[in-house]
Amino acid sequence: MRKEDALEYHEFPKPGKIEVVSTKPCYTQRDLSLAYTPGVAVPCLAIKDNPQDIYKYTSKGNLVAVISNGTAVLGLGNIGAGAGKPVMEGKGVLFKRFADIDVFDIEIASENPDEVIKVCQLLEPTFGGINLEDIKAPECFYIEETLKKTMKIPVFHDDQHGTAIISGAALLNALEVVAKNIKDVKMVLNGAGAAGIACAKHYMALGVKKENIIFCDTTGVIYKGRAKGMNKYKEEFAADTGARTLSDALRGTDVFVGLSSEDILTPEMLLSMAKNPIVFAMANPNPEIKYDLAVATRKDIIIATGRSDYPNQVNNVLGFPFIFRGALDVGARCINDEMKLAATYALAKLAKEDVPDSVRKAYGGEKLKFGRNYIIPKPFDPRVLIWESSAVAQAAIKTGVAQKRVDIGAYRIELEKRLGRAQEIMRTVIEKAKRNPKRIVFPEGEEEKILRAAQLLVDEKIASPIVLGNVEKICRLMAEASIDPSGIAVVDPGCSKKFPEYTEEYFKIRQRKGVTKQRATELVSTPVVFGTMMLHTGDADALLSGLTHHYPEVMRPALRIIKVASGVKKVSGLYMLVTKKDLYFVADATVNIEPSAEDLAEIAMLAAKTARRFDVEPRIAMLSFSNFGSTLHPLSDKVRRAVEIVKSLAPEIMIDGEMQADTAVTPEIIEHTYPFSTLKGGANILIFPNLESGNIAYKLLSRIGGAAAIGPILMGMSKPVHVLQREGEVNDIVNMAAIAVVDVQEMEKEKKANSKRTSVKTGKDAVEAENIKQK
């Protein structure tokens, strides 16, 4: 990285990396009187009467102070409080980016630990927690210990505990990979500063025996009786050993933990370690031994560093944002050892889960799988927020330091909402699906993404997946990807007992459409047609395909075999677009190139039905380049006629048009300029006049506008068939499967309701016939 790039990043477009953004409007005189005097006096008095109301009426519950005196900044040393400010601002960026926590950075111009303590204590009314940063040892120990005793908000020195918590997770998993017992391993820690001492204590809490730990510093081994460079914190770990140098200490050792300086670990030292050595070379920016040199020296090594360009990065951003998130959300009075251990165990467990495609893409498409080169989650894995924060919150509640008790299941859902509205919406759909899972057939069963999605569907109890393809190949792929085959049905179309039955049925359906018996046999042997026949005959409840196929390849068999739903003339496609604040349904974005007025009306009614499945009451805008007759043209007339058709067929639906897109989504425009309109509150369903406009709009909104696109959702089929996006991610597949399950559930409900109505009508007819007969 060039020096100029770093300076430019920090200077432009405005100096620094953080700013204060208001969470309340301040546009009118009323807003001003509420934000400040006289309205602000009301919450002030409420807090005076009940101090706990400070969490109700202010941002304290989501506000952390990052406090430093600049005495140990990164690897730069004592550069002073002001010079350390870019680091503290950067810490604030990470808090916000990864856990949605607000931060003020406070740089204290004092090296007197008592003055640092006093400043923190005086700031307790302002902040929900304090993150101590870049304060040199041993003063940092004294500062944190004193603050924890005297303050009733969480205080956390990240340089100590962050490294300990994250490397602890890496240690647990590395030991599992090499099949070593934590109680038996011998360990050398090089570097007896804040992080080194905290790591040793945390490892002991995980199970490492104190007598199996040897510490080294710049003077050499920390042994009993040593006088030079000692303090009470080092004295606690003075070992009864004859070893005097790092080289001596490392002979036969299982684990090396480096928190010191670059290139201090030589190949000769590495060769002297035990079989399957575990090396955490965490000096920054350059590790204690170069990664390439280490793996060239020992083929059986597991190595972790602090760098992102090598496997197994021990990065503190995996800890502090999520630990504070969990602590703040339950009003924890402190961050105790149990909460730190909970964070470690959560990270260790998460590393064994399947890694989302979004994470793989963030790291250049790297194949991430639990093992020697993946013993700890990646920093950009969004699941860390859910796993770690909930574990920390649960530990706080269990140990009695939480002031608020929360249901952990519900809390995990709340955390998921912080990842974005798309996650929140899909969680609702997934919960619906889990109430009554259905059988989903995947014709592209030989694709690893499909198999990984199938595993998640089974684990989450969303659906019962059926994957099609060569059984031997699928089983091999499952083994390679560590996918548990239980719960996943694997079917080879050509070898299935159902093949003759499906072939005969397909021939009956298509025999007058130019299909011979031979051709029927050939077509049914293909997974897409075979899967569609499974759906047709009731051996599956829904079909998902398209990951490696073009749209028509999936649609053609479906339309030929499954047909459209009763009363529907044409199938259409819908996308859900999720912005930070709103949810929109857009149609048709995938199927009908130039729909007629009648087609547009049908698309609108199907979209309304789909929206209701997501518990959204439809407000439909029929889009055009014209606002309510402002431009007379056959194209705008077509949209106007479509509105009239919907209003006559389904008067209960809120719909209006023709209108322009900005009119549709801006309530102020439509209500002030067009008060006669029946559309109130802004549209949440946008019906485009043709495929060209719909497809372009949804792609621009998702790519440039930052909206999350969920779909395509196929509307109008008699049974659920959904087309996956080519090269879609595993999460996309799981989401579409959940949507398909909910589709099946709704179709079954409708069928029951129709059957009930028919039964009632039949009963009424019978009564009427009997009355006539008696008369």
Side-chain angles (χ1 to χ4, degrees):
M1 182 184 295
R2 296 186 319 130
K3 174 183 173 183
E4 293 80 4
D5 292 339
L7 292 175
E8 185 177 321
Y9 174 84
H10 283 78
E11 184 177 0
F12 301 105
K14 61 165 64 174
K17 299 192 287 282
I18 59 173
E19 66 178 351
V20 176
V21 178
S22 172
T23 61
K24 302 291 189 294
C26 192
Y27 303 118
T28 66
Q29 180 59 40
R30 180 179 183 274
D31 293 341
L32 184 59
S33 65
L34 288 170
Y36 202 55
T37 185
V40 74
V42 179
C44 289
L45 292 172
I47 294 167
K48 177 179 175 291
D49 292 339
N50 180 15
Q52 281 300 108
D53 277 356
I54 194 169
Y55 292 100
K56 187 175 178 181
Y57 298 120
T58 77
S59 61
K60 176 173 179 171
N62 196 52
L63 188 61
V64 167
V66 172
I67 293 181
S68 177
N69 64 358
T71 52
V73 179
L74 302 177
L76 305 174
N78 188 349
I79 61 173
K85 184 172 175 63
V87 176
M88 307 315 136
E89 285 191 356
K91 201 82 172 186
V93 170
L94 300 181
F95 264 110
K96 189 65 179 176
R97 162 63 180 81
F98 289 96
D100 195 27
I101 292 172
D102 298 317
V103 162
F104 287 135
D105 60 293
I106 297 173
E107 291 73 36
I108 301 172
S110 174
E111 294 187 21
N112 182 333
D114 289 314
E115 290 184 349
V116 175
I117 289 168
K118 189 65 175 175
V119 170
C120 292
Q121 290 170 331
L122 292 172
L123 289 171
E124 184 167 355
T126 302
F127 296 99
I130 288 178
N131 184 95
L132 299 171
E133 193 75 19
D134 291 349
I135 301 172
K136 69 183 177 73
E139 288 89 340
C140 63
F141 300 119
Y142 168 62
I143 291 170
E144 188 191 38
E145 287 167 4
T146 305
L147 292 177
K148 287 175 75 173
K149 289 175 185 174
T150 59
M151 298 183 75
K152 293 179 181 177
I153 59 173
V155 178
F156 185 80
H157 185 205
D158 183 49
D159 300 309
Q160 291 184 60
H161 309 297
T163 305
I165 288 164
I166 294 137
S167 64
L171 176 65
L172 291 175
N173 283 341
L175 291 172
E176 182 176 328
V177 170
V178 298
K180 290 185 180 181
N181 191 319
I182 195 168
K183 294 179 180 178
D184 300 329
V185 293
K186 294 181 179 179
M187 175 183 290
V188 170
L189 288 100
N190 196 60
I197 298 292
C199 281
K201 289 182 177 179
H202 193 67
Y203 299 161
M204 286 165 55
L206 291 171
V208 176
K209 291 183 177 177
K210 188 176 181 180
E211 58 266 28
N212 288 342
I213 296 174
I214 293 180
F215 256 107
C216 294
D217 60 9
T218 52
T219 303
V221 172
I222 296 175
Y223 58 89
K224 287 187 183 296
R226 197 184 98 173
K228 185 178 179 182
M230 294 293 284
N231 58 46
K232 68 174 185 177
Y233 303 102
K234 291 182 182 180
E235 194 64 52
E236 184 182 349
F237 286 95
D240 188 5
T241 177
R244 293 295 180 265
T245 66
L246 177 60
S247 181
D248 294 339
L250 278 171
R251 291 192 191 99
T253 297
D254 299 288
V255 181
F256 168 81
V257 178
L259 294 149
S260 48
S261 55
E262 66 176 302
D263 297 336
I264 203 164
L265 182 65
T266 66
E268 291 74 24
M269 292 178 187
L270 185 55
L271 287 167
S272 74
M273 292 180 70
K275 184 180 178 183
N276 289 314
I278 296 167
V279 173
F280 293 169
M282 296 183 288
N284 264 324
N286 298 310
E288 283 79 1
I289 184 170
K290 291 181 175 61
Y291 176 84
D292 293 336
L293 178 60
V295 296
T297 303
R298 292 287 297 256
K299 301 297 182 189
D300 60 343
I301 191 173
I302 291 182
I303 181 168
T305 70
R307 294 178 57 131
S308 60
D309 49 351
Y310 300 126
N312 301 325
Q313 182 192 16
V314 177
N315 190 324
N316 280 23
V317 79
L318 280 168
F320 66 86
F322 313 109
I323 292 165
F324 268 100
R325 179 77 275 155
L328 291 173
D329 288 342
V330 295
R333 292 186 295 270
C334 65
I335 295 172
N336 58 28
D337 290 341
E338 290 83 358
M339 293 159 74
K340 296 170 196 170
L341 288 169
T344 290
Y345 287 122
L347 286 171
K349 190 175 179 183
L350 178 58
K352 298 171 192 175
E353 297 289 310
D354 184 59
V355 181
D357 290 330
S358 58
V359 178
R360 296 183 185 210
K361 285 181 180 179
Y363 293 90
E366 183 183 350
K367 192 167 185 178
L368 303 171
K369 179 184 173 186
F370 180 69
R372 289 179 180 271
N373 291 323
Y374 182 70
I375 55 173
I376 191 166
K378 293 288 189 180
F380 282 98
D381 190 331
R383 300 171 302 168
V384 177
L385 173 66
I386 300 165
W387 284 62
E388 189 173 356
S389 299
S390 63
V392 169
Q394 189 168 26
I397 293 168
K398 191 174 180 181
T399 55
V401 299
Q403 297 179 81
K404 290 190 294 183
R405 298 188 70 85
V406 299
D407 176 85
I408 294 299
Y411 177 54
R412 286 174 70 94
I413 293 170
E414 287 300 312
L415 289 169
E416 195 166 18
K417 289 179 183 178
R418 290 183 180 273
L419 299 176
R421 286 207 71 210
Q423 293 277 354
E424 179 185 348
I425 289 160
M426 283 316 305
R427 173 50 54 190
T428 303
V429 175
I430 286 168
E431 290 303 320
K432 277 188 177 182
K434 287 165 76 171
R435 291 174 201 157
N436 188 10
K438 301 297 176 182
R439 300 163 299 168
I440 307 240
V441 61
F442 295 92
E444 295 151 306
E446 295 179 7
E447 293 296 316
E448 186 188 317
K449 286 181 181 179
I450 295 292
L451 297 174
R452 288 167 51 211
Q455 172 84 79
L456 288 172
L457 292 172
V458 172
D459 291 346
E460 293 290 319
K461 298 180 174 61
I462 296 169
S464 299
I466 305 164
V467 296
L468 305 184
N470 181 277
V471 174
E472 188 178 331
K473 182 178 180 181
I474 290 172
C475 290
R476 187 181 72 250
L477 287 168
M478 284 185 177
E480 289 171 359
S482 301
I483 293 168
D484 182 359
S486 57
I488 303 172
V490 182
V491 178
D492 188 330
C495 302
S496 169
K497 293 178 181 177
K498 293 278 188 174
F499 184 77
E501 178 189 327
Y502 291 168
T503 302
E504 187 62 35
E505 178 65 14
Y506 184 80
F507 179 61
K508 284 180 185 176
I509 295 169
R510 302 294 297 169
Q511 62 187 351
R512 293 184 179 273
K513 305 287 184 181
V515 174
T516 63
K517 194 73 177 282
Q518 177 60 34
R519 182 59 180 154
T521 303
E522 292 168 1
L523 288 169
V524 175
S525 67
T526 63
V528 174
V529 176
F530 187 90
T532 311
M533 290 304 299
M534 289 187 76
L535 183 59
H536 171 68
T537 57
D539 292 330
D541 300 308
L543 179 143
L544 263 65
S545 186
L547 194 69
T548 59
H549 293 105
H550 290 291
Y551 208 93
E553 294 175 60
V554 181
M555 287 302 304
R556 201 173 291 118
L559 291 171
R560 288 173 176 172
I561 300 167
I562 303 300
K563 310 297 183 187
V564 297
S566 176
V568 175
K569 292 179 181 177
K570 289 185 178 179
V571 170
S572 53
L574 172 144
Y575 273 91
M576 294 165 60
L577 290 177
V578 188
T579 68
K580 193 170 183 180
K581 292 182 179 179
D582 298 298
L583 165 66
Y584 298 99
F585 298 83
V586 300
D588 181 358
T590 60
V591 181
N592 296 285
I593 296 173
E594 199 61 62
S596 65
E598 290 73 19
D599 295 335
L600 288 174
E602 184 174 76
I603 291 166
M605 289 186 286
L606 288 171
K609 189 176 180 181
T610 302
R612 288 193 177 108
R613 288 182 180 176
F614 290 90
D615 299 324
V616 173
E617 189 56 33
R619 302 190 303 273
I620 304 175
M622 304 295 281
L623 301 183
S624 178
F625 54 83
S626 170
N627 273 321
F628 303 103
S630 63
T631 304
L632 299 177
H633 191 277
L635 291 177
S636 56
D637 289 343
K638 176 182 76 170
V639 177
R640 197 178 309 120
R641 287 200 314 275
V643 174
E644 291 168 0
I645 293 168
V646 175
K647 286 186 173 182
S648 65
L649 294 176
E652 76 283 359
I653 294 176
M654 185 189 290
I655 185 171
D656 214 340
E658 86 288 9
M659 69 180 74
Q660 295 175 2
D662 59 339
T663 303
V665 298
T666 312
E668 292 81 5
I669 294 177
I670 199 164
E671 289 167 14
H672 293 161
T673 311
Y674 308 102
F676 56 82
S677 174
T678 53
L679 181 64
K680 305 298 180 185
N684 53 23
I685 298 178
L686 306 175
I687 305 299
F688 289 87
N690 56 29
L691 181 61
E692 192 172 35
S693 58
N695 192 269
I696 291 169
Y698 107 77
K699 287 183 176 176
L700 283 176
L701 282 166
S702 62
R703 295 294 181 180
I704 298 175
I710 299 171
I713 299 170
L714 213 55
M715 305 186 297
M717 295 294 292
S718 59
K719 292 186 177 183
V721 175
H722 289 300
V723 183
L724 300 171
Q725 294 194 58
R726 284 176 66 83
E727 305 303 321
E729 297 182 0
V730 170
N731 276 351
D732 298 329
I733 300 167
V734 172
N735 287 344
M736 288 307 301
I739 288 169
V741 170
V742 173
D743 274 351
V744 179
Q745 293 171 350
E746 293 297 325
M747 286 179 178
E748 288 176 348
K749 262 193 232 173
E750 287 169 15
K751 191 175 179 181
K752 277 185 183 177
N754 289 338
S755 176
K756 191 174 181 181
R757 279 194 292 270
T758 303
S759 177
V760 169
K761 186 177 183 303
T762 303
K764 285 181 178 177
D765 289 347
V767 170
E768 190 175 336
E770 183 62 30
N771 289 339
I772 291 169
K773 186 179 176 182
Q774 288 176 0
K775 285 178 183 178

